[in-house]
Amino acid sequence: MPRIELQRVSKSYLSGQYAVRDLDMVIPDGAFMCLLGPSGCGKTTTLRMIAGLEQPTAGDIRVGAKLLDSVEQGVYVPPERRGMGLVFQSYALWPHMTVTGNIEFGLRMRKTPAAERDQRVRSAMEMLRIADYATRYPSQLSGGQQQRVALARMLAVDPEVLLLDEPLSNLDARLRLEMRAELKRIHQRSGSTVVLVTHDQLEAMTMATHVAVMNEGVVEQLGAPMDIYERPASVFVAAFVGSPPMNLVPLGDHTGDGIETHLAAFVADIAGKPPVGATIGVRPEALHLAAAADDVPDGAWQAPAEVETVLPTGSSWTVQLRCRGTELFAQTFRAVDARPGATMVAWAAAADLHLYGPDGRRMPGWDLATGRTEPGEAVVTTGGAR
């Protein structure tokens, strides 16, 4: 399968607004790349430029050795000649055609011989487990079944690249779970290069081999899902990836008696005084609760915290806390023996604290597990990251 390369790609409009700015990205052969971010961050525009439905205003797009878009060289390859399959958020099925008719539509447009066409349609239906619905019409199918038909139609033409634009957003929770497993199975079986657009971080974490977190037209961080979760490159990534999101405490000017000053002093004892305007972050699952200070491990940060509410989810408990005037969330997989208003001790291991500079970027060279190190490990991001 081909690798996809975007070099200094930008997309702007007559108003001067940028949807994508100076994007450098390489999607390796056979990767499952997820473009993750909130609405309006540029992820769908990026996908549409790869597909050829939008033309960049600057930069080059290559698939394998083939140049598909280049503003400077005046190159533009239309969508139908790019060898890509695209599945939209809406299923876009022909209502007057049966499942078989919808799946074979693209093959008929390509004038694929009848014998080969029939074989491809059968193979796609068997892969998506919809062979029993071959003679049904879209109106006779559930949402999940219609989505499988849309995927089968794309797979039948055997595209080199699969482009998926939020294909699961219209499904209920159970169907989304089933389709996540289905898409991952299809990727593993076909070995295709897949690019998925989503705002759902759970989809990105469970399916992708690579995740690009986008914000305001730039990529904040690009890497493996767990790398992004465990070492967010910016305050934005830390707040966006994770549910509940990471607790973030701006340190301000290190004055007063709030949690900001308390955390700043803790960091200073380990690795040196953090800069004014820095931010400390800790994941809810890394924020623990103890009945008393004596129960906290040596070397951990700790502070008294009042329990405001306990939110059971079935498999875990989320605890809303008020700690030195600041709201924090802790997540535990054991039942919490505390009522609202009770005072407990919140604590976190030094290694679980994340430090971000005044610019909102992760501070290289700060290792709160062992103390500050030099020259420091830089956080790898892609072009256009701030």
Side-chain angles (χ1 to χ4, degrees), residues 228-280:
I228 287 176
Y229 187 83
E230 293 173 351
R231 286 179 54 80
S234 68
V235 168
F236 173 82
V237 177
F240 189 79
V241 179
S243 181
M246 181 182 287
N247 297 296
L248 295 166
V249 180
L251 298 185
D253 57 5
H254 308 168
T255 61
D257 59 357
I259 190 175
E260 304 90 354
T261 305
H262 197 249
L263 274 168
F266 178 80
V267 172
D269 287 343
I270 298 175
K273 186 177 180 180
V276 172
T279 298
I280 287 285

Side-chain angles (χ1 to χ4, degrees), residues 9 12 21 35 100 173 188 203 327 352 361:
V9 171
S12 61
R21 185 191 297 268
L35 305 181
T100 299
Q188 292 169 343
E203 288 182 13
E327 183 181 78
D352 291 328
R361 306 297 299 176

Side-chain angles (χ1 to χ4, degrees), residues 31 47 93 128 167 178 252 280 315:
L47 186 85
L93 300 178
L128 274 300
E178 291 179 2
I280 287 285
S315 60

Side-chain angles (χ1 to χ4, degrees), residues 69-98:
D69 273 297
S70 177
V71 178
E72 293 182 358
Q73 299 181 47
V75 174
Y76 168 69
V77 177
E80 64 272 16
R81 293 174 50 201
R82 296 196 176 199
M84 299 181 181
L86 179 60
V87 174
F88 296 96
Q89 182 176 349
S90 60
Y91 313 130
L93 300 178
W94 295 106
H96 64 286
M97 292 184 181
T98 63

Side-chain angles (χ1 to χ4, degrees), residues 34-41 43 166 197-200 212-215 236 240:
C34 178
L35 305 181
L36 174 67
S39 298
C41 70
K43 57 187 186 294
E166 302 201 54
V197 163
T198 185
H199 62 272
D200 187 332
V213 184
M214 299 188 69
N215 178 35
F236 173 82
F240 189 79

